[in-house]
Amino acid sequence: MKTFIKNTGKKLVGWSVENPKKFFTYSMVFLSLSFLISILQGIFFPSDMTFKINPPILYSKSSVAQNNQAKNSKEMEKIVGELQLLKAKRDRGELLKVDSLRIEYLFNQYQNFKNGH
């Protein structure tokens, strides 16, 4: 099988060296046809993933986006409240290592909600 592929490849390369004009013509015809076929495929059978870009939540007027914003603001309020409790705990000097991990987690969550992720 390997020898067949090698022999065929050598024959094709040899033919392309002997007939560069025909090789160029065939190559251009093949490239043009494949381009036209891909254009027709894009027009008549569009991909579902082509236009999946969602607008940012701030610019959307749908009720779903507004509900998400309301949920995000409620979650952000909860996070701020818990962070304030942890700050008071820090001021009293009762902060533990577990609390510092919780603070880091809450801060990351707050940043995610703030940035709209």
Side-chain angles (χ1 to χ4, degrees), residues 11-46:
K11 287 179 185 177
L12 288 175
V13 169
W15 179 83
S16 65
V17 169
E18 292 172 6
N19 304 311
K21 289 183 180 179
K22 285 185 181 180
F23 177 76
F24 179 76
T25 304
Y26 292 150
S27 299
M28 288 323 249
V29 168
F30 174 75
L31 289 174
S32 300
L33 286 176
S34 62
F35 177 71
L36 288 174
I37 289 171
S38 67
I39 293 291
L40 291 175
Q41 180 185 7
I43 291 171
F44 293 114
F45 306 105

Side-chain angles (χ1 to χ4, degrees), residues 22-104:
K22 285 185 181 180
F23 177 76
F24 179 76
T25 304
Y26 292 150
S27 299
M28 288 323 249
V29 168
F30 174 75
L31 289 174
S32 300
L33 286 176
S34 62
F35 177 71
L36 288 174
I37 289 171
S38 67
I39 293 291
L40 291 175
Q41 180 185 7
I43 291 171
F44 293 114
F45 306 105
S47 173
D48 292 338
M49 297 301 291
T50 305
F51 300 107
K52 289 290 185 181
I53 300 172
N54 295 327
I57 293 174
L58 297 174
Y59 303 114
S60 180
K61 294 182 180 179
S62 69
S63 62
V64 174
Q66 290 173 352
N67 288 341
N68 285 342
Q69 274 185 318
K71 287 179 186 178
N72 285 350
S73 64
K74 288 179 184 178
E75 288 293 324
M76 287 172 63
E77 288 174 9
K78 287 180 186 177
I79 290 171
V80 168
E82 191 170 346
L83 284 172
Q84 288 174 346
L85 291 174
L86 289 169
K87 183 182 179 212
K89 192 174 181 180
R90 182 198 66 186
D91 292 340
R92 290 190 308 262
E94 300 172 355
L95 203 62
L96 302 172
K97 189 174 186 175
V98 176
D99 294 331
S100 64
L101 291 174
R102 181 70 179 161
I103 290 170
E104 187 176 337

Side-chain angles (χ1 to χ4, degrees), residues 56-57 68 72 76 108-117:
I57 293 174
N68 285 342
N72 285 350
M76 287 172 63
N108 287 336
Q109 287 294 105
Y110 181 80
Q111 290 296 327
N112 285 342
F113 284 123
K114 187 175 179 182
N115 294 332
H117 293 282

